[in-house]
Amino acid sequence: CTLAALVGSEGSLAAAVDDLPTYPIRRDSVRTESKRAVVDRVAEIARDEFADISTLDGIRVETDAGWFLVRASGTEPLVRLTAEARDETDADALFETTRDLVARAAEKTR
């Protein structure tokens, strides 16, 4: 009912959604049999390089440009990588940072 009232008073729902900001997101996975060790090593490296880190669901790092997340898949031998930013350039840069971090962590766990 609230949604119908909003559309009735404000106009098209599609138009309202078009006004919301969008943030580019990048995702990929890296296959590894050592997914937990890689994520643990990412945490160690990230703590040395970044100030705002959360370990609630993987390793999430907040930056001025956006954020990235590295976490072990719960069902496959994969490490999942996600990066989101305010614009395409920052999303690409954060994603490359994420890939580099995971590659360095994987190299250290061999």
Side-chain angles (χ1 to χ4, degrees):
C1 290
T2 302
L3 183 58
L6 178 67
V7 169
S9 67
E10 301 293 326
S12 161
L13 184 58
V17 169
D18 285 343
D19 290 340
L20 294 174
T22 59
Y23 298 98
I25 193 164
R26 306 289 184 264
R27 288 192 172 110
D28 199 5
S29 297
V30 174
R31 183 166 292 282
T32 178
E33 297 301 323
S34 308
K35 63 186 180 183
R36 303 261 183 241
V38 169
V39 171
D40 289 346
R41 183 67 183 129
V42 165
E44 292 172 15
I45 297 169
R47 283 187 187 101
D48 291 340
E49 297 181 12
F50 299 96
D52 192 356
I53 298 171
S54 169
T55 58
L56 184 62
D57 179 31
I59 310 306
R60 182 180 166 114
V61 176
E62 298 283 338
T63 72
D64 291 340
W67 59 269
F68 65 84
L69 173 70
V70 176
R71 69 175 192 81
S73 168
T75 59
E76 300 176 272
L78 300 172
V79 173
R80 308 252 188 227
L81 292 67
T82 305
E84 183 180 84
R86 290 176 185 81
D87 62 46
E88 299 286 336
T89 302
D90 286 339
D92 290 341
L94 273 176
F95 194 65
E96 286 308 311
T97 297
T98 309
R99 282 182 188 265
D100 177 64
L101 192 61
V102 170
R104 288 189 288 148
E107 183 64 32
K108 298 275 185 180
T109 59
R110 290 184 187 164

